[in-house]
mmCIF file of all heavy atoms in Angstrom:
data_model
loop_
_atom_site.group_PDB
_atom_site.id
_atom_site.type_symbol
_atom_site.label_atom_id
_atom_site.label_comp_id
_atom_site.label_asym_id
_atom_site.label_seq_id
_atom_site.Cartn_x
_atom_site.Cartn_y
_atom_site.Cartn_z
ATOM 1 N N THR A 902 -54.366 106.996 27.828
ATOM 2 C CA THR A 902 -53.975 107.859 28.946
ATOM 3 C C THR A 902 -53.615 109.240 28.398
ATOM 4 O O THR A 902 -53.748 109.487 27.199
ATOM 5 C CB THR A 902 -52.766 107.271 29.707
ATOM 6 O OG1 THR A 902 -51.658 107.142 28.810
ATOM 7 C CG2 THR A 902 -53.094 105.913 30.302
ATOM 8 N N SER A 903 -53.152 110.108 29.266
ATOM 9 C CA SER A 903 -52.709 111.432 28.811
ATOM 10 C C SER A 903 -51.313 111.710 29.353
ATOM 11 O O SER A 903 -50.845 111.049 30.285
ATOM 12 C CB SER A 903 -53.685 112.512 29.274
ATOM 13 O OG SER A 903 -53.495 112.801 30.632
ATOM 14 N N LEU A 904 -50.680 112.708 28.781
ATOM 15 C CA LEU A 904 -49.338 113.098 29.235
ATOM 16 C C LEU A 904 -49.355 113.509 30.701
ATOM 17 O O LEU A 904 -48.371 113.325 31.413
ATOM 18 C CB LEU A 904 -48.794 114.253 28.393
ATOM 19 C CG LEU A 904 -48.376 113.915 26.974
ATOM 20 C CD1 LEU A 904 -48.061 115.189 26.191
ATOM 21 C CD2 LEU A 904 -47.184 112.990 26.982
ATOM 22 N N ALA A 905 -50.470 114.062 31.149
ATOM 23 C CA ALA A 905 -50.583 114.511 32.539
ATOM 24 C C ALA A 905 -50.537 113.346 33.527
ATOM 25 O O ALA A 905 -50.306 113.558 34.717
ATOM 26 C CB ALA A 905 -51.868 115.299 32.728
ATOM 27 N N ASP A 906 -50.721 112.126 33.030
ATOM 28 C CA ASP A 906 -50.673 110.952 33.908
ATOM 29 C C ASP A 906 -49.243 110.583 34.309
ATOM 30 O O ASP A 906 -49.050 109.747 35.186
ATOM 31 C CB ASP A 906 -51.309 109.738 33.226
ATOM 32 C CG ASP A 906 -52.799 109.912 33.025
ATOM 33 O OD1 ASP A 906 -53.411 110.718 33.756
ATOM 34 O OD2 ASP A 906 -53.358 109.242 32.131
ATOM 35 N N TYR A 907 -48.264 111.193 33.661
ATOM 36 C CA TYR A 907 -46.864 110.837 33.900
ATOM 37 C C TYR A 907 -46.061 112.032 34.388
ATOM 38 O O TYR A 907 -46.290 113.159 33.964
ATOM 39 C CB TYR A 907 -46.216 110.300 32.613
ATOM 40 C CG TYR A 907 -46.867 109.055 32.095
ATOM 41 C CD1 TYR A 907 -47.752 109.101 31.034
ATOM 42 C CD2 TYR A 907 -46.617 107.822 32.685
ATOM 43 C CE1 TYR A 907 -48.368 107.953 30.561
ATOM 44 C CE2 TYR A 907 -47.223 106.664 32.225
ATOM 45 C CZ TYR A 907 -48.098 106.743 31.162
ATOM 46 O OH TYR A 907 -48.701 105.602 30.713
ATOM 47 N N ASN A 908 -45.116 111.767 35.271
ATOM 48 C CA ASN A 908 -44.103 112.748 35.650
ATOM 49 C C ASN A 908 -42.865 112.406 34.833
ATOM 50 O O ASN A 908 -42.348 111.293 34.934
ATOM 51 C CB ASN A 908 -43.781 112.660 37.142
ATOM 52 C CG ASN A 908 -44.967 113.036 38.002
ATOM 53 O OD1 ASN A 908 -45.700 113.958 37.683
ATOM 54 N ND2 ASN A 908 -45.161 112.309 39.079
ATOM 55 N N LEU A 909 -42.401 113.352 34.046
ATOM 56 C CA LEU A 909 -41.290 113.100 33.128
ATOM 57 C C LEU A 909 -40.021 113.764 33.653
ATOM 58 O O LEU A 909 -40.026 114.940 34.024
ATOM 59 C CB LEU A 909 -41.637 113.622 31.734
ATOM 60 C CG LEU A 909 -42.942 113.061 31.162
ATOM 61 C CD1 LEU A 909 -43.322 113.771 29.881
ATOM 62 C CD2 LEU A 909 -42.823 111.568 30.938
ATOM 63 N N TYR A 910 -38.938 112.975 33.678
ATOM 64 C CA TYR A 910 -37.659 113.440 34.210
ATOM 65 C C TYR A 910 -36.544 113.180 33.208
ATOM 66 O O TYR A 910 -36.634 112.261 32.399
ATOM 67 C CB TYR A 910 -37.318 112.710 35.517
ATOM 68 C CG TYR A 910 -38.252 113.044 36.651
ATOM 69 C CD1 TYR A 910 -39.416 112.306 36.857
ATOM 70 C CD2 TYR A 910 -37.969 114.087 37.513
ATOM 71 C CE1 TYR A 910 -40.275 112.617 37.901
ATOM 72 C CE2 TYR A 910 -38.827 114.393 38.560
ATOM 73 C CZ TYR A 910 -39.974 113.650 38.746
ATOM 74 O OH TYR A 910 -40.817 113.959 39.782
ATOM 75 N N VAL A 911 -35.489 113.980 33.319
ATOM 76 C CA VAL A 911 -34.290 113.800 32.509
ATOM 77 C C VAL A 911 -33.134 113.467 33.445
ATOM 78 O O VAL A 911 -32.970 114.097 34.490
ATOM 79 C CB VAL A 911 -33.958 115.074 31.699
ATOM 80 C CG1 VAL A 911 -32.657 114.918 30.944
ATOM 81 C CG2 VAL A 911 -35.097 115.403 30.744
ATOM 82 N N LEU A 912 -32.368 112.458 33.066
ATOM 83 C CA LEU A 912 -31.167 112.067 33.815
ATOM 84 C C LEU A 912 -29.945 112.479 33.015
ATOM 85 O O LEU A 912 -29.799 112.096 31.854
ATOM 86 C CB LEU A 912 -31.127 110.548 34.010
ATOM 87 C CG LEU A 912 -32.057 109.969 35.047
ATOM 88 C CD1 LEU A 912 -32.046 108.451 34.968
ATOM 89 C CD2 LEU A 912 -31.645 110.414 36.422
ATOM 90 N N GLU A 913 -29.101 113.259 33.642
ATOM 91 C CA GLU A 913 -27.855 113.648 32.991
ATOM 92 C C GLU A 913 -26.847 112.522 33.201
ATOM 93 O O GLU A 913 -26.560 112.165 34.338
ATOM 94 C CB GLU A 913 -27.311 114.951 33.585
ATOM 95 C CG GLU A 913 -28.246 116.125 33.442
ATOM 96 C CD GLU A 913 -28.461 116.583 32.013
ATOM 97 O OE1 GLU A 913 -27.635 116.260 31.133
ATOM 98 O OE2 GLU A 913 -29.470 117.271 31.771
ATOM 99 N N GLY A 914 -26.334 111.942 32.121
ATOM 100 C CA GLY A 914 -25.337 110.876 32.223
ATOM 101 C C GLY A 914 -23.970 111.441 32.502
ATOM 102 O O GLY A 914 -23.718 112.642 32.359
ATOM 103 N N ALA A 915 -23.051 110.564 32.891
ATOM 104 C CA ALA A 915 -21.680 110.979 33.198
ATOM 105 C C ALA A 915 -21.017 111.598 31.977
ATOM 106 O O ALA A 915 -20.333 112.595 32.064
ATOM 107 C CB ALA A 915 -20.876 109.793 33.716
ATOM 108 N N ASP A 916 -21.239 110.986 30.807
ATOM 109 C CA ASP A 916 -20.603 111.504 29.597
ATOM 110 C C ASP A 916 -21.617 112.067 28.610
ATOM 111 O O ASP A 916 -21.268 112.478 27.522
ATOM 112 C CB ASP A 916 -19.760 110.412 28.928
ATOM 113 C CG ASP A 916 -20.593 109.195 28.537
ATOM 114 O OD1 ASP A 916 -21.814 109.223 28.734
ATOM 115 O OD2 ASP A 916 -19.999 108.236 28.039
ATOM 116 N N GLY A 917 -22.906 112.061 28.976
ATOM 117 C CA GLY A 917 -23.934 112.594 28.102
ATOM 118 C C GLY A 917 -24.314 111.658 26.975
ATOM 119 O O GLY A 917 -25.134 112.000 26.151
ATOM 120 N N LYS A 918 -23.709 110.475 26.891
ATOM 121 C CA LYS A 918 -24.005 109.554 25.795
ATOM 122 C C LYS A 918 -24.723 108.303 26.269
ATOM 123 O O LYS A 918 -24.987 107.414 25.485
ATOM 124 C CB LYS A 918 -22.718 109.181 25.078
ATOM 125 C CG LYS A 918 -22.085 110.378 24.419
ATOM 126 C CD LYS A 918 -20.951 110.013 23.538
ATOM 127 C CE LYS A 918 -20.378 111.312 23.008
ATOM 128 N NZ LYS A 918 -19.665 111.187 21.802
ATOM 129 N N ASP A 919 -25.051 108.228 27.555
ATOM 130 C CA ASP A 919 -25.794 107.098 28.089
ATOM 131 C C ASP A 919 -27.197 107.155 27.508
ATOM 132 O O ASP A 919 -27.928 108.105 27.715
ATOM 133 C CB ASP A 919 -25.832 107.186 29.616
ATOM 134 C CG ASP A 919 -26.554 106.012 30.244
ATOM 135 O OD1 ASP A 919 -26.581 104.938 29.625
ATOM 136 O OD2 ASP A 919 -27.082 106.180 31.354
ATOM 137 N N CYS A 920 -27.567 106.147 26.731
ATOM 138 C CA CYS A 920 -28.834 106.136 26.013
ATOM 139 C C CYS A 920 -29.766 105.144 26.695
ATOM 140 O O CYS A 920 -29.697 103.942 26.434
ATOM 141 C CB CYS A 920 -28.573 105.747 24.561
ATOM 142 S SG CYS A 920 -29.954 106.076 23.492
ATOM 143 N N ASN A 921 -30.637 105.656 27.588
ATOM 144 C CA ASN A 921 -31.452 104.758 28.388
ATOM 145 C C ASN A 921 -32.701 105.484 28.867
ATOM 146 O O ASN A 921 -32.805 106.702 28.772
ATOM 147 C CB ASN A 921 -30.639 104.263 29.597
ATOM 148 C CG ASN A 921 -31.109 102.920 30.091
ATOM 149 O OD1 ASN A 921 -32.143 102.410 29.676
ATOM 150 N ND2 ASN A 921 -30.335 102.342 30.987
ATOM 151 N N ALA A 922 -33.645 104.716 29.383
ATOM 152 C CA ALA A 922 -34.847 105.255 30.005
ATOM 153 C C ALA A 922 -35.273 104.276 31.087
ATOM 154 O O ALA A 922 -34.865 103.111 31.072
ATOM 155 C CB ALA A 922 -35.955 105.451 28.980
ATOM 156 N N ALA A 923 -36.091 104.752 32.019
ATOM 157 C CA ALA A 923 -36.547 103.893 33.101
ATOM 158 C C ALA A 923 -37.886 104.397 33.608
ATOM 159 O O ALA A 923 -38.188 105.589 33.540
ATOM 160 C CB ALA A 923 -35.522 103.884 34.237
ATOM 161 N N ALA A 924 -38.680 103.458 34.097
ATOM 162 C CA ALA A 924 -39.928 103.796 34.783
ATOM 163 C C ALA A 924 -39.677 103.592 36.261
ATOM 164 O O ALA A 924 -38.966 102.672 36.664
ATOM 165 C CB ALA A 924 -41.052 102.900 34.284
ATOM 166 N N PHE A 925 -40.275 104.459 37.081
ATOM 167 C CA PHE A 925 -39.987 104.409 38.503
ATOM 168 C C PHE A 925 -41.211 104.842 39.285
ATOM 169 O O PHE A 925 -41.816 105.874 38.990
ATOM 170 C CB PHE A 925 -38.799 105.328 38.816
ATOM 171 C CG PHE A 925 -38.323 105.261 40.218
ATOM 172 C CD1 PHE A 925 -37.487 104.240 40.630
ATOM 173 C CD2 PHE A 925 -38.724 106.194 41.140
ATOM 174 C CE1 PHE A 925 -37.045 104.168 41.937
ATOM 175 C CE2 PHE A 925 -38.290 106.144 42.440
ATOM 176 C CZ PHE A 925 -37.449 105.121 42.839
ATOM 177 N N GLY A 926 -41.589 104.060 40.270
ATOM 178 C CA GLY A 926 -42.670 104.440 41.171
ATOM 179 C C GLY A 926 -44.037 104.400 40.529
ATOM 180 O O GLY A 926 -44.312 103.611 39.633
ATOM 181 N N GLU A 927 -44.901 105.283 40.986
ATOM 182 C CA GLU A 927 -46.299 105.291 40.547
ATOM 183 C C GLU A 927 -46.460 105.706 39.096
ATOM 184 O O GLU A 927 -47.230 105.107 38.369
ATOM 185 C CB GLU A 927 -47.114 106.233 41.437
ATOM 186 C CG GLU A 927 -47.246 105.777 42.871
ATOM 187 C CD GLU A 927 -48.071 104.514 43.009
ATOM 188 O OE1 GLU A 927 -49.104 104.395 42.336
ATOM 189 O OE2 GLU A 927 -47.665 103.650 43.798
ATOM 190 N N ASN A 928 -45.758 106.773 38.682
ATOM 191 C CA ASN A 928 -45.980 107.302 37.334
ATOM 192 C C ASN A 928 -44.802 108.131 36.818
ATOM 193 O O ASN A 928 -44.993 109.087 36.091
ATOM 194 C CB ASN A 928 -47.254 108.141 37.306
ATOM 195 C CG ASN A 928 -47.200 109.309 38.265
ATOM 196 O OD1 ASN A 928 -46.304 109.415 39.088
ATOM 197 N ND2 ASN A 928 -48.155 110.202 38.165
ATOM 198 N N ASN A 929 -43.611 107.773 37.211
ATOM 199 C CA ASN A 929 -42.422 108.533 36.823
ATOM 200 C C ASN A 929 -41.684 107.832 35.692
ATOM 201 O O ASN A 929 -41.418 106.637 35.767
ATOM 202 C CB ASN A 929 -41.480 108.678 38.021
ATOM 203 C CG ASN A 929 -42.172 109.314 39.201
ATOM 204 O OD1 ASN A 929 -42.675 110.423 39.110
ATOM 205 N ND2 ASN A 929 -42.227 108.601 40.309
ATOM 206 N N ILE A 930 -41.355 108.592 34.653
ATOM 207 C CA ILE A 930 -40.538 108.075 33.564
ATOM 208 C C ILE A 930 -39.300 108.951 33.465
ATOM 209 O O ILE A 930 -39.389 110.176 33.403
ATOM 210 C CB ILE A 930 -41.297 108.058 32.221
ATOM 211 C CG1 ILE A 930 -42.477 107.089 32.300
ATOM 212 C CG2 ILE A 930 -40.364 107.673 31.084
ATOM 213 C CD1 ILE A 930 -43.314 107.001 31.038
ATOM 214 N N LEU A 931 -38.146 108.292 33.478
ATOM 215 C CA LEU A 931 -36.866 108.981 33.388
ATOM 216 C C LEU A 931 -36.248 108.676 32.035
ATOM 217 O O LEU A 931 -36.237 107.527 31.608
ATOM 218 C CB LEU A 931 -35.925 108.481 34.489
ATOM 219 C CG LEU A 931 -36.347 108.703 35.933
ATOM 220 C CD1 LEU A 931 -37.313 107.631 36.379
ATOM 221 C CD2 LEU A 931 -35.144 108.699 36.815
#
């Protein structure tokens, strides 16, 4: 695949130390 296939998002954590990622919907990666 290519990078263009994904919508990339950043989640700001409450304390900035939450170390996580998630996939959501058709092509979203947080």
Side-chain angles (χ1 to χ4, degrees):
T902 60
S903 77
L904 288 171
D906 293 337
Y907 298 101
N908 295 321
L909 305 172
Y910 293 89
V911 176
L912 285 171
E913 300 293 341
D916 59 3
K918 296 189 183 203
D919 182 26
C920 194
N921 207 350
F925 186 81
E927 293 293 318
N928 59 350
N929 304 301
I930 296 179
L931 298 82

